[in-house]
Amino acid sequence: MSTASFHSLGCRLNQTEVASLAGAFQDKGYDVVEWGEPADVVVINTCSVTERGEAACRSAIRQALRRQPEAFVVVTGCYAQVGLEALRAIDGIDMIVGTEYKNKFTSFIDKPRKLKEPVVLHSNLIDDGDFEVPGTGLYHTTRANLKVQDGCDFFCSFCIIPFTRGRERSRDLTDLLREARELAARGYQELVLTGVNIGRYHQAGTSFADMIRKLEEIEELKRIRITSIEPTTIERSLVEHMARSDKLCDYLHIPIQSAQAPVLERMNRRYTPEEFKEFIDFVAATVPDIGLGTDIIVGFPGETDAMFEETYRYLEALPFAYFHVFSYSKRYGTKAARLDGHVGPDVIKARSQALRELSVAKRRAFASRYLGQDVEVLFEQQQDPSGLWTGLTSNYLRVGVVSSEPLRNTFRRVTLHEVTDELALGAIAARTTESSLTPA
Ligand code: SF4
């Protein structure tokens, strides 16, 4: 039997796509092996979001070529779309697959042999129609991702994604529901919706909120989680639905990127700090237990010390449970790289550190609200060597318990008694729903 292995760099969407490609290869009769094990076909899904990310991709490709000189090596993903010439210069790649062909290339591979020159499947014109994914995702985790959307039309000035992934498009609803049912039947009780700008999902009259309601009808599915979603794309009625739903997780990650109006304007974002705050206040009032996260870019061109101080106070006051802090770095090919007012690296480092410390304090404060209370946890894995079982609540608290029971993929109520920087620690309170299903 032929073997195939897969590696993903970058974002959750890339991981989702690799899981789907692995599923497609398995359907073609391949044995999917761990990354690093000898394989006949090696697929690397690349990232191009920063120049450092691209360097990491080149290094991963070279390492794979060194370790497995006989393997048929496929390079796909964002870097394959915008870094074609750099990839052509790496000897040994057999296939370079741009965005347009990512969902289709598996059908072109049959009895692959090492080639002298790479086959290049690439187009600058990326189809903006609805799409289907190549296969049902193969995951080793207890949570599975579900790709619902791709591409973006927002063109934020710092972001390369609209150029690497193309214009926004939505996944065919029938294909999406088919995969969700298959994943649920395999034992995945929580699905995480992924895409680039998922709130823009729209397919044949079905909105993002409609699609979620259809997913909720799948009986075996117990949780549906929205990950990163643009603030201007969330319907208020969806937030109200979240408050009522027992399946849609009380969780949203809403990137703010900056809390300063002039910077937001230079970023080409579509809201003011006041509008963002008003929306967050509405969300927190509507879903009181919600776990809220955000992304913030530190040191964007034009960000002064005074602006940073104001940003710090603004974020401190909002009900976020955590932030992801990104230090701005120039990305060629973006409008932001050509702006004036670039901030020095030492200043960016100090500002980022201050916000990361604030995020840790926020995380602890959020978790501490639940001390002494029972929370429902879907357990995922046992950590090595501590033996601590960890899992997530609906509102994204990561909870740890010591237990001799096999907790993987089971729901348990846990009484919380301590909070660390990363975890809320507790003890099993009482047996609740227990899954008899085991994800592959
Ligand atoms: S919304 Fe902005 S940051 Fe997000 S993918 Fe689109 S252009 Fe990039």
Side-chain angles (χ1 to χ4, degrees):
M1 186 189 264
S2 298
T3 51
S5 72
F6 299 83
H7 184 48
S8 163
L9 295 105
C11 63
R12 179 186 286 275
L13 183 54
N14 266 14
Q15 291 166 16
T16 312
E17 289 168 345
V18 144
S20 171
L21 289 169
F25 271 84
Q26 192 175 65
D27 291 347
K28 280 167 73 82
Y30 281 75
D31 190 14
V32 174
V33 299
E34 290 285 317
W35 178 248
E37 282 183 30
D40 300 305
V41 178
V42 164
V43 180
I44 302 169
N45 198 12
T46 57
C47 170
S48 192
V49 79
T50 61
E51 289 170 37
R52 193 186 288 180
E54 291 182 347
C57 293
R58 290 192 297 274
S59 156
I61 294 163
R62 289 205 171 93
Q63 199 177 55
L65 290 167
R66 248 191 335 268
R67 286 194 182 152
Q68 302 198 53
E70 303 305 319
F72 186 87
V73 175
V74 183
V75 177
T76 186
C78 290
Y79 193 31
Q81 183 62 28
V82 293
L84 186 55
E85 292 319 310
L87 292 175
R88 276 189 202 270
I90 300 178
D91 276 345
I93 299 175
D94 299 283
M95 200 179 227
I96 303 174
V97 182
T99 303
E100 170 69 15
Y101 299 93
K102 204 183 220 180
N103 292 332
K104 312 167 191 162
F105 79 91
T106 54
S107 58
F108 304 141
I109 296 182
D110 190 30
K111 299 192 178 68
R113 293 251 148 63
K114 202 76 198 148
L115 302 173
K116 286 202 172 63
E117 291 289 328
V119 173
V120 175
L121 302 173
H122 186 280
S123 166
N124 288 328
L125 294 171
I126 301 165
D127 185 1
D128 59 1
D130 301 335
F131 64 91
E132 296 187 5
V133 305
T136 297
L138 276 189
Y139 297 94
H140 300 298
T141 49
T142 52
R143 289 194 296 161
N145 298 329
L146 186 71
K147 179 173 174 178
V148 299
Q149 187 274 344
D150 205 343
C152 185
D153 288 356
F154 278 19
F155 291 93
C156 299
S157 66
F158 52 84
C159 184
I160 196 78
I161 289 176
F163 304 98
T164 62
R165 287 186 171 270
R167 309 306 293 263
E168 61 188 31
R169 50 209 185 275
S170 297
R171 182 169 173 187
D172 175 80
L173 184 66
T174 311
D175 187 50
L176 178 161
L177 292 172
R178 173 202 54 74
E179 186 182 11
R181 283 192 203 98
E182 278 181 33
L183 290 168
R186 289 182 193 176
Y188 295 99
Q189 303 188 86
E190 178 173 325
L191 292 190
V192 183
L193 307 184
T194 60
V196 174
N197 195 342
I198 59 174
R200 299 281 287 180
Y201 180 90
H202 205 271
Q203 212 261 340
T206 303
S207 69
F208 183 61
D210 297 336
M211 181 262 288
I212 287 175
R213 288 193 185 89
K214 288 190 188 298
L215 287 170
E216 286 176 327
E217 289 168 12
I218 301 174
E219 205 183 320
E220 301 99 318
L221 209 52
K222 299 294 184 273
R223 280 185 182 172
I224 297 153
R225 191 178 293 280
I226 300 172
T227 48
S228 190
I229 184 162
E230 282 296 305
T232 53
T233 65
I234 314 167
E235 293 170 36
R236 291 190 181 224
S237 59
L238 180 63
V239 179
E240 286 155 359
H241 177 70
M242 182 181 282
R244 292 188 299 268
S245 170
D246 58 357
K247 290 198 177 183
L248 184 58
C249 291
D250 292 346
Y251 170 70
L252 286 172
H253 183 99
I254 311 176
I256 183 169
Q257 309 299 16
S258 168
Q260 298 297 304
V263 177
L264 285 171
E265 213 175 307
R266 294 184 116 204
M267 286 179 162
N268 202 22
R269 301 288 288 172
R270 301 174 171 216
Y271 48 84
T272 63
E274 292 73 28
E275 287 163 349
F276 189 90
K277 180 178 181 314
E278 193 274 324
F279 182 66
I280 293 293
D281 287 343
F282 161 75
V283 172
T286 309
V287 190
D289 277 319
I290 194 163
L292 277 173
T294 194
D295 291 340
I296 176 95
I297 296 175
V298 176
F300 189 80
E303 183 190 78
T304 62
D305 284 344
M307 284 176 172
F308 176 73
E309 286 302 318
E310 263 187 51
T311 298
Y312 187 97
R313 285 197 295 276
Y314 177 102
L315 291 175
E316 195 176 26
L318 282 190
F320 285 116
Y322 69 91
F323 333 127
H324 289 159
V325 180
F326 296 91
S327 302
Y328 177 76
S329 68
K330 230 185 207 178
R331 174 67 179 82
Y332 71 84
T334 62
K335 204 171 148 199
R338 300 191 297 276
L339 290 173
D340 57 9
H342 280 266
V343 181
D346 290 347
V347 175
I348 292 181
K349 200 171 163 192
R351 289 179 189 170
S352 299
Q353 183 58 23
L355 281 186
R356 288 196 181 108
E357 283 167 19
L358 180 59
S359 174
V360 171
K362 290 282 225 182
R363 196 184 284 277
R364 290 186 79 115
F366 180 66
S368 297
R369 280 170 44 183
Y370 298 92
L371 283 176
Q373 295 183 33
D374 288 358
V375 294
E376 189 177 56
V377 180
L378 176 53
F379 281 96
E380 295 175 1
Q381 67 218 342
Q382 193 170 28
Q383 287 182 354
D384 205 27
S386 67
L388 198 72
W389 282 97
T390 62
L392 286 172
T393 59
S394 164
N395 62 358
Y396 212 60
L397 270 183
R398 185 153 286 281
V399 172
V401 301
V402 175
S403 173
S404 55
E405 280 185 76
L407 295 180
R408 186 179 159 87
N409 204 27
T410 63
F411 282 94
R412 290 285 199 278
R413 290 200 78 73
V414 173
T415 311
L416 298 183
H417 54 64
E418 199 181 326
V419 166
T420 71
D421 285 357
E422 290 93 26
L423 283 172
L425 298 170
I428 302 287
R431 183 162 288 211
T432 51
T433 42
E434 184 174 354
S435 167
S436 57
L437 301 166
T438 310

